[in-house]
Amino acid sequence: MAQYRRVSGSVGLITLINPPVNALSAKVRQGIVDTVQRALGDSEVKSVVICGQGGVFCGGADIKEFGGLMTGPPLIPMIHSIEAVDKPVVAAIEGVALGGGLEVALGCHYRIAHAKARLGLPEVTLGLLPAAGGSQRLPRLIGVPAALDLITTGRHVTAAEALRLGIVDEVTNQNTVDVAVKFALSVEGRQLHSRRLSTTPCPRLDDLDALFEEVMQRVKQSARGAIAPVACVQAVRAAATLPYPQGMEREKELMASIFHSGQARALQYCFFAQRAVGRWSLPTGARWDTSEPRPVRKAAVIGLGTMGRGIVVALAQTGLSVVAVESQGQQLAQAKQAVSGMLERGARRRGVAPQPDLVRYTQSLRDVAEADLVIEAVFENMALKREIFKQLDAVCKPGTLLCTNTSGLDVDQLASQTRHPELVVGMHFFAPAHVMKLLEVVYGPRSSPQAVATAMQLGKKMGKVSVAVGNCRGFVGNRMLKPYMEQANFLLEEGATPELVDQALEEFGFAMGVFRMSDLSGLDVGWRVRQADGLTGPDVTPGQPERSRQGRRYSPVADLVCEQGRFGQKTGRGWYQYEKPGSREAKSDPWLHSFLEGYRARHGLVARRISHQEVQERCLYTMINEGFRILDEGFAAGPEDIDTIYVSGYGWPRHRGGPMFYASMVGLARVLERLEHYHQAHPDVPYLEPCSLLRRLVACGSPPVHKWREVIRSPHSQL
Ligand code: 3H9
């Protein structure tokens, strides 16, 4: 709803009320229409201020309404009616003015923002475009190039940048509504024609065609198949080339073409999924999200390799004091230099003063005694990690939370080294840890809800998307990656090349295909794990063929590549070749192709033509199948958790909503049928065997993803 009152004698003050972000629900839109009418009819009123309750102007259209029948007054005429008012209307922007919120502000004649406010048109991130006139008014206000940047990326700008761009007329540190009221008084009686953006022409630009061509090419390249960014460019082009009424028609047409698309549904699902992962209860009734997190004032990081350094930076950037421990003197000196550099660059980027003194470097584990939380980030080796946890248990003050940064080791084994297993959790960071958004917080069987709450809250402070997962091998993300990579290797044996597999996956929308990704992260990492598991080498199980381990198919292709010292980018050779070690441009490698041919010949395998569809189905559906197993076994709370992990940390294209959402879009019956088909062709590959939850969901009519929990009802949740 919206509230109306008269202030300072002649100013009609309209306040949008719909906590927490004053989204433009039907009631709010009706409220605006009614209060604008009141202001118009009130002869005492000479100017109007529109603000939002609770220190937030407006977070845009109500996304929850998009799925159903839209009722109430539509946005476009509502904004036109604001713009048409013959008394100056001023938007008082506190908190955020996003999407429809900024579009309302652009319909006002003046805009005043608080210094801490953020503004933007993020519709593209929801698979939409600013279709309440935003795509037509913003270019008229700030010019085509700046509007293209904001609308195609959806990025939020600070009040200072908004002022520079000309989006707002004034920025204040004071009470924004008071300043806006004063401003409104000062412009009463002014001519408003030049302030109505719909009647203002777009600033002229030479060679418009070349600009749009260049932007369209760039956008298509980075969109990886997403359609909304392309529609956004087309809408801005309409603003630049057509009169306003026709531009609005084009905006409407373009919006209609994407509004009900699968991509828009996927992106809106991702928006709510990311927020939902912060809320769930344990089967026992205990909830970590209502547990009071322990205060963390001082943290410590053990081990200053690549991961440890990134974690130190991420912690220090939240303002925490950090003890950084590395037993090797030379490594410690190098880490100190690297961390200081990263902190300095980060501070420069954020426009704040660097605080290198927050980090204290030491070689002694004893120096962590006063830390409230310790993150162990040493090499991925269970014996070494166990030893460190034993020492931490002896050194740390009572109540210290002990976390391990591991990508898949058993957190409970480490907890058993301490007297307080309830204070042990996993924190699986992704490299580089100060940049990557995802954090898996691993809930061991004995971790307390409070310990998980503390790690989750720390993740939030570090700006991470934190997802609580159960303690199984590989947790959620890496566990699902295993069948995906396994299929990719089998496809090589059957006739594919790394290029073909990567193209198929990149065509699907992944930032990087599986082989280019392996080259980037290093082939030796997985090789070491397989060696430790006793899978590598020719004669692991005497009498078994080389391409089999314990009765299931095994591809030694990646092991053989590693045996050549080809570890990927770092050695200049892997699945591809690189100009020099460390170089990023992957080039086809004739050696690899003839190696694959020789391998197939040795094993009597006849190469066949493999389609992109087969690559996508086998790689993605086995991954999805494993996701269903994880849900069934209770290691993830819901499909939203899995999808958030994949979208935030594994390069899954957001416009496809995450693997579980994607499965529901494809149709669960279809996924089941294809898995059955491939399992029949490859009976020695257990990952292809459809899991029981998938069968159960299909049997009960393939309910939509938000109803899966009713079918799962895991009797043995691990969370
Ligand atoms: C649009 O405007 C289309 C128009 O151009 C054209 C139409 C014709 N609607 O994120 P938080 C909920 S499209 C409904 O945790 P924060 C959110 O789900 C819209 N609900 O807080 C959450 O609910 P819950 C363009 C919304 O402080 C709660 O509010 N606008 C909306 O970290 C708190 O959210 C956008 O894309 C909404 N629009 O961040 C902005 N927004 O408590 C989307 C939020 O039940 N919103 N909720 O989990 C945001 O980016 C952030 O929410 C914001 C606050 C920055 C505003």
Side-chain angles (χ1 to χ4, degrees):
M1 58 178 248
Q3 197 182 60
Y4 176 80
R5 68 196 163 101
R6 189 145 52 80
V7 296
S8 299
S10 61
V11 182
L13 180 64
I14 295 174
T15 308
L16 314 186
I17 305 175
N18 185 14
V21 302
N22 300 322
L24 296 162
S25 63
K27 274 191 180 160
V28 174
R29 297 196 304 275
Q30 187 63 57
I32 295 176
V33 168
D34 295 345
T35 49
V36 167
Q37 279 305 319
R38 271 185 75 181
L40 259 180
D42 188 340
S43 59
E44 303 283 305
V45 161
K46 303 282 183 274
S47 61
V48 179
V49 167
I50 303 182
C51 66
Q53 196 192 42
V56 179
F57 181 70
C58 175
D62 188 341
I63 308 165
K64 290 189 189 102
E65 283 185 353
F66 289 168
L69 259 185
M70 301 275 265
T71 56
L75 259 180
I76 295 176
M78 184 198 90
I79 295 174
H80 276 141
S81 72
I82 295 173
E83 196 187 51
V85 172
D86 56 2
K87 306 172 183 184
V89 184
V90 182
I93 301 172
E94 293 174 297
V96 294
L98 295 173
L102 180 55
E103 290 174 304
V104 167
L106 293 174
C108 298
H109 308 118
Y110 299 92
R111 289 156 291 279
I112 310 290
H114 189 268
K116 289 197 174 143
R118 284 180 297 138
L119 298 88
L121 292 174
E123 284 86 344
V124 70
T125 63
L126 299 169
L128 305 174
L129 60 94
S135 75
Q136 304 305 299
R137 285 196 177 89
L138 191 66
R140 286 174 159 78
L141 181 63
I142 64 172
V144 170
L148 274 171
D149 167 38
L150 257 63
I151 293 174
T152 58
T153 61
R155 75 183 177 90
H156 301 179
V157 296
T158 59
E161 189 178 352
L163 183 66
R164 237 180 2 258
L165 288 170
I167 300 176
V168 298
D169 301 285
E170 198 178 309
V171 172
T172 179
N173 264 313
Q174 319 282 312
N175 180 314
T176 315
V177 178
D178 290 351
V179 174
V181 167
K182 230 184 244 167
F183 185 94
L185 287 167
S186 76
V187 292
E188 283 177 0
R190 285 231 188 132
Q191 273 291 329
L192 295 172
H193 187 69
S194 66
R195 306 297 310 181
R196 294 193 177 103
L197 292 174
S198 68
T199 58
T200 312
C202 238
R204 280 193 66 79
L205 258 187
D206 292 337
D207 217 352
L208 216 55
D209 286 342
L211 170 75
F212 276 102
E213 213 161 285
E214 190 259 316
V215 171
M216 185 59 101
Q217 241 181 25
R218 191 160 21 97
V219 161
K220 277 188 176 162
Q221 218 164 38
S222 60
R224 297 193 267 135
I227 52 177
V230 174
C232 285
V233 178
Q234 291 169 324
V236 177
R237 191 186 178 106
T241 54
L242 297 173
Y244 178 80
Q246 283 94 318
M248 285 300 286
E249 274 304 306
R250 184 77 180 122
E251 182 192 88
K252 188 173 159 191
E253 246 170 57
L254 288 163
M255 180 67 149
S257 72
I258 55 178
F259 190 70
H260 294 292
S261 66
Q263 292 196 5
R265 275 171 58 199
L267 286 158
Q268 288 156 33
Y269 162 82
C270 284
F271 176 84
F272 289 115
Q274 196 169 318
R275 281 149 184 89
V277 297
R279 295 185 301 254
W280 52 263
S281 57
L282 300 172
T284 55
R287 290 176 68 105
W288 64 262
D289 58 325
T290 51
S291 293
E292 188 63 24
R294 302 171 83 91
V296 178
R297 288 180 202 91
K298 191 170 191 172
V301 178
I302 320 280
L304 299 181
T306 314
M307 285 311 286
R309 293 172 194 186
I311 297 170
V312 171
V313 173
L315 288 167
Q317 282 179 345
T318 69
L320 276 178
S321 92
V322 187
V323 181
V325 187
E326 170 57 59
S327 57
Q328 310 286 326
Q330 200 186 352
Q331 173 100 318
L332 183 71
Q334 286 168 352
K336 187 171 178 180
Q337 206 178 7
V339 168
S340 304
M342 287 191 272
L343 284 174
E344 210 166 288
R345 285 191 295 277
R348 214 176 307 135
R349 222 180 10 255
R350 288 177 297 140
V352 296
Q355 290 182 285
D357 298 346
L358 282 175
V359 187
R360 195 180 136 220
Y361 300 86
T362 172
Q363 280 181 269
S364 168
L365 200 72
R366 293 189 178 286
D367 290 334
V368 308
E370 291 309 310
D372 303 303
L373 175 143
V374 180
I375 302 177
E376 163 279 305
V378 300
F379 194 61
E380 197 77 336
N381 175 301
M382 182 50 98
L384 177 61
K385 284 181 187 272
R386 283 168 70 111
E387 181 51 37
I388 288 176
F389 267 72
K390 210 181 282 173
Q391 289 178 29
L392 286 174
D393 188 50
V395 166
C396 291
K397 66 179 184 187
T400 300
L401 190 71
L402 301 182
C403 310
T404 173
N405 170 59
T406 166
S407 56
L409 294 180
D410 180 4
V411 171
D412 199 41
Q413 269 202 47
L414 298 175
S416 65
Q417 303 303 304
T418 72
R419 284 163 295 167
H420 294 285
E422 73 280 6
L423 292 177
V424 175
V425 293
M427 284 181 101
H428 178 200
F429 288 86
F430 291 75
H434 60 299
V435 177
M436 290 293 286
K437 279 274 170 218
L438 179 63
L439 176 69
E440 282 184 325
V441 171
V442 187
Y443 201 158
R446 290 181 281 173
S447 310
S448 69
Q450 193 186 35
V452 177
T454 309
M456 292 288 280
Q457 198 200 39
L458 184 63
K460 195 166 183 188
K461 265 197 191 154
M462 288 188 280
K464 305 286 177 207
V465 175
S466 309
V467 185
V469 298
N471 179 39
C472 58
R473 185 108 199 248
F475 314 132
V476 170
N478 285 349
R479 178 170 160 182
M480 287 170 65
L481 210 53
K482 205 172 161 198
Y484 168 79
M485 295 177 87
E486 187 187 82
Q487 284 303 313
N489 286 353
F490 291 159
L491 286 161
L492 294 186
E493 296 188 338
E494 293 166 38
T497 58
E499 291 85 338
L500 180 129
V501 173
D502 283 353
Q503 272 163 17
L505 295 170
E506 287 163 21
E507 178 187 284
F508 176 78
F510 273 100
M512 237 184 247
V514 58
F515 292 110
R516 285 215 293 141
M517 188 193 72
S518 301
D519 270 2
L520 174 68
S521 48
L523 271 58
D524 51 326
V525 183
W527 191 35
R528 250 184 277 118
V529 174
R530 294 192 297 278
Q531 281 172 328
D533 287 347
L535 292 170
T536 55
D539 308 305
V540 271
T541 319
Q544 293 248 348
E546 196 190 347
R547 294 176 53 246
S548 167
R549 301 284 184 272
Q550 291 129 22
R552 43 195 290 172
R553 174 136 38 115
Y554 177 80
S555 170
V557 167
D559 303 337
L560 298 171
V561 169
C562 285
E563 280 173 21
Q564 299 296 316
R566 300 173 67 106
F567 295 160
Q569 282 184 14
K570 57 180 142 184
T571 57
R573 298 273 185 278
W575 296 109
Y576 295 92
Q577 57 177 328
Y578 300 83
E579 203 82 334
K580 51 182 186 313
S583 154
R584 288 179 163 242
E585 199 193 333
K587 291 196 177 137
S588 276
D589 189 346
W591 179 90
L592 201 275
H593 294 162
S594 65
F595 156 77
L596 286 174
E597 279 160 25
Y599 173 88
R600 291 186 202 113
R602 249 193 346 273
H603 292 282
L605 296 164
V606 181
R608 61 182 174 87
R609 264 182 64 87
I610 291 171
S611 67
H612 281 197
Q613 184 184 342
E614 179 173 351
V615 173
Q616 291 173 358
E617 286 181 348
R618 281 179 57 184
C619 290
L620 303 180
Y621 293 178
T622 41
M623 173 191 266
I624 288 165
N625 199 26
E626 194 60 15
F628 280 117
R629 283 201 186 95
I630 288 173
L631 287 176
D632 212 13
E633 292 166 12
F635 288 108
E640 296 86 356
D641 300 68
I642 294 180
D643 287 333
T644 300
I645 286 171
Y646 261 80
V647 164
S648 312
Y650 287 84
W652 181 282
R654 183 173 277 266
H655 60 270
R656 300 226 191 228
M660 308 321 284
F661 182 85
Y662 176 66
S664 76
M665 294 291 273
V666 170
L668 300 186
R670 164 91 184 155
V671 174
L672 175 62
E673 181 268 311
R674 296 317 287 157
L675 280 168
E676 275 171 341
H677 164 83
Y678 289 120
H679 190 232
Q680 234 164 37
H682 308 275
D684 54 348
V685 180
Y687 280 130
L688 284 169
E689 185 176 4
C691 86
S692 133
L693 175 60
L694 174 58
R695 286 187 189 286
R696 281 181 355 245
L697 284 165
V698 172
C700 58
S702 301
V705 74
H706 63 274
K707 297 240 162 123
W708 290 3
R709 277 171 213 246
E710 292 165 24
V711 178
I712 301 167
R713 273 199 228 106
S714 175
H716 39 250
S717 173
Q718 312 292 325
L719 291 164

